[in-house]
Amino acid sequence: MDMMAVERNGINAVPDNERRGRPSDLFWPWAGANLSLFGVAFGVYVVGLGLGVVPAVVTGAVGYALSFLLVGLVAVAGSRSGVPTMTLGRAPFGYQGNKLPAVLSYVSNVGWEIVLVTLAAQSGAAILRRVAPGIPETTAVAGCFAVSALVVIAVGVYGHAMIMVVQRYLTYAFVVLTVVYLILMLPRLGGSLETTAGPGGWVGGVIFSMTLLGLGWVNCGADYSRYLPAGSRPRSVALWTTLGGALPPMVLLVFGVLLAGGDPKLAEAAGGDPVGALAAALPTWFLLPYLLTAIGGFLAGAIMDIYSSGLSMLALGVPVRRHLAVLIDGLLMVLGGYYLLFVSDNFFGTFQAFLAIIGVVMAAWVAIFLVDMWRLRDGGRAYDERLLRPGAPALNPAGLVSLVVASVVGVGLITSADEHIAAVVGFLMSDELRNSTFGAANIGVVIALLLAGVVYFVLTLRRR
């Protein structure tokens, strides 16, 4: 497929004559999307649970691998069927019932587009003003925001072929620049961290790491594997998706943990503003390459989000072509980014808390999807073509009941620093649990994952 031609496929099954490539090609889009310097802050967050160097690295790595393995398993359905993720969701939820998780998926993707483009603009402006102090702050922010939004929208409009190529070369550039960056920061690293949390802290570290990474991508897993030949080995599809999404951020996780052990003050600052704090410690000659690394990392994730959000819109039944759906999403991204950058003083924290609630729902969704796929669809082969048309079954009560029950329980077992959101979530938690490692790790996300899978399995025993 020509990368310079706008992709014409929407949520239809990709024709066999357009399906090519190898499962190893999946490494690049997922690696590029998860090489953001936020990965350094994630290491600082895991240490904040009271874990030393070895426990933090081990639990973080296990959490990353487990969470992205879920994405890899969803990707298998894409290679088998040639259909994107949220359209395949019509199988366990029904044609109409699927609109509930599709709406939440859409909101989540658009929300992260806004957050990532906003972070790219803020980070770029902060570093640009250090390189050229005479530039007014508003001008720097507006310029970086305009360039960032334009790049994300343009790549998203061109579609799958362009994304696969762009993400590959972005990953090459990020790896080189990140290696230089890590070498420059080596003197600030150390291992002087004590583990103050009990055995529950290890479990909490794994849970927290899962929520930081892969669980935010489960609703996109099949979107990038659907162009592979239908005969692609499922193990390879799952493996390369998992490696691409989990390995690169593991390196940044280790760096963040060692930074907390060697320079606690810088690590604390990096936890709140990883790009700005870490830039302050760098020599001037590396600021421009660092700027490209920081902005590129955020944009790579936003590109994946805007493509998948367009497919979620089509799964809702909105009668537009895929590239027009991306343009609509891009407009929402620009409006939301403008609000965060130039209007709101406190919306960002509340918005992040709202996305945590959606994370619970997506965890429940992926459990239901995977149980349905492996028990009832022969590993993804037996998806009915009626899924693409309004003639499909309207509702699957088992899927909807499982999703609602698990989501309610999961939301009742998470916490939030935002006082308004905190009044809504955590209603199933005791004060002791809320203040424990499990409370800080938002255990409700994993509880929703497990509960949804068990409930759906029980409710569908007779269907097989």
Side-chain angles (χ1 to χ4, degrees):
M1 187 167 54
D2 184 3
M3 63 171 285
M4 296 307 297
V6 174
E7 180 187 357
R8 296 300 179 184
N9 290 311
I11 59 173
N12 58 289
V14 177
D16 288 340
N17 63 348
E18 295 183 27
R19 300 179 67 174
R20 56 180 59 88
R22 297 170 297 178
S24 58
D25 295 335
L26 295 172
F27 178 88
W28 304 107
W30 292 114
N34 289 282
L35 268 174
S36 162
L37 288 174
F38 247 146
V40 177
F42 290 168
V44 177
Y45 299 158
V46 175
V47 167
L49 297 176
L51 299 173
V53 171
V54 173
V57 171
V58 170
T59 59
V62 171
Y64 281 10
L66 288 177
S67 62
F68 241 96
L69 177 60
L70 297 175
V71 184
L73 295 175
V74 173
V76 171
S79 64
R80 289 298 195 191
S81 64
V83 177
T85 316
M86 295 313 296
T87 305
L88 294 173
R90 292 171 178 172
F93 298 102
Y95 186 90
Q96 300 297 339
N98 185 58
K99 291 183 178 180
L100 173 61
V103 164
L104 294 170
S105 171
Y106 181 76
V107 171
S108 176
N109 284 333
V110 173
W112 278 113
E113 292 163 30
I114 294 171
V115 170
L116 291 171
V117 171
T118 299
L119 289 173
Q122 291 176 330
S123 304
I127 301 170
L128 192 60
R129 291 187 68 223
R130 184 175 163 189
V131 176
I135 300 177
E137 180 177 1
T138 302
T139 302
V141 171
C144 290
F145 176 61
V147 171
S148 299
L150 182 61
V151 169
V152 170
I153 294 171
V155 177
V157 166
Y158 275 100
H160 185 274
M162 175 71 79
I163 290 173
M164 298 297 284
V165 173
V166 168
Q167 297 288 82
R168 178 187 289 264
Y169 287 103
L170 282 177
T171 302
Y172 291 157
F174 297 161
V175 168
V176 173
L177 293 173
T178 300
V179 168
V180 176
Y181 157 75
L182 295 179
I183 292 173
L184 291 173
M185 297 294 287
L186 278 177
R188 295 178 177 268
L189 306 184
S192 58
L193 286 174
E194 295 184 4
T195 301
T196 58
W202 288 67
V203 179
V206 172
I207 294 172
F208 188 53
S209 300
M210 291 179 70
T211 63
L212 287 173
L213 197 69
L215 287 178
W217 287 110
V218 292
N219 55 320
C220 309
D223 297 350
Y224 304 95
S225 60
R226 65 195 183 113
Y227 275 89
L228 291 176
S232 300
R233 292 184 60 189
R235 289 183 182 180
S236 297
V237 172
L239 175 65
W240 285 107
T241 300
T242 304
L243 291 177
L247 278 184
M250 280 184 192
V251 176
L252 297 175
L253 171 88
V254 173
F255 177 82
V257 171
L258 294 177
L259 182 65
D263 194 336
K265 290 185 178 180
L266 179 58
E268 182 180 359
D273 178 16
V275 177
L278 296 175
L282 289 172
T284 303
W285 66 266
F286 191 64
L287 284 178
L288 188 56
Y290 178 78
L291 169 66
L292 298 176
T293 305
I295 292 181
F298 292 130
L299 296 188
I303 287 168
M304 300 275 277
D305 276 317
I306 200 169
Y307 180 75
S308 289
S309 66
L311 296 175
S312 293
M313 178 187 288
L314 299 182
L316 286 168
V318 178
V320 296
R321 300 294 296 270
R322 187 206 61 82
H323 60 282
L324 295 178
V326 170
L327 289 175
I328 295 171
D329 298 343
L331 176 61
L332 295 175
M333 178 185 72
V334 170
L335 293 175
Y338 176 83
Y339 181 81
L340 288 182
L341 288 170
F342 302 109
V343 178
S344 175
D345 293 327
N346 56 13
F347 179 71
F348 184 74
T350 303
F351 189 68
Q352 289 282 60
F354 175 66
L355 290 178
I357 297 175
I358 294 180
V360 169
V361 181
M362 288 295 102
W365 176 88
V366 73
I368 296 166
F369 182 90
L370 292 177
V371 169
D372 183 88
M373 181 176 79
W374 291 108
R375 283 191 63 244
L376 305 172
R377 314 284 162 197
D378 189 21
R381 289 182 176 88
Y383 284 101
D384 196 320
E385 184 124 354
R386 291 181 305 160
L387 291 173
L388 307 179
R389 302 194 303 270
L395 298 174
N396 179 4
L400 291 170
V401 169
S402 303
L403 180 68
V404 172
V405 170
S407 297
V408 170
V409 173
V411 168
L413 292 171
I414 63 174
T415 59
S416 174
D418 183 279
E419 60 180 11
H420 301 293
I421 301 295
V424 178
V425 304
F427 50 83
L428 296 178
M429 304 178 77
S430 64
D431 291 337
E432 182 179 0
L433 179 59
R434 185 178 287 106
N435 296 320
S436 69
T437 302
F438 290 113
N442 280 335
I443 191 174
V445 176
V446 174
I447 295 298
L449 176 77
L450 298 175
L451 181 60
V454 170
V455 172
Y456 188 71
F457 182 89
V458 171
L459 293 178
T460 56
L461 279 176
R462 294 184 179 182
R463 281 178 53 191
R464 188 172 180 84

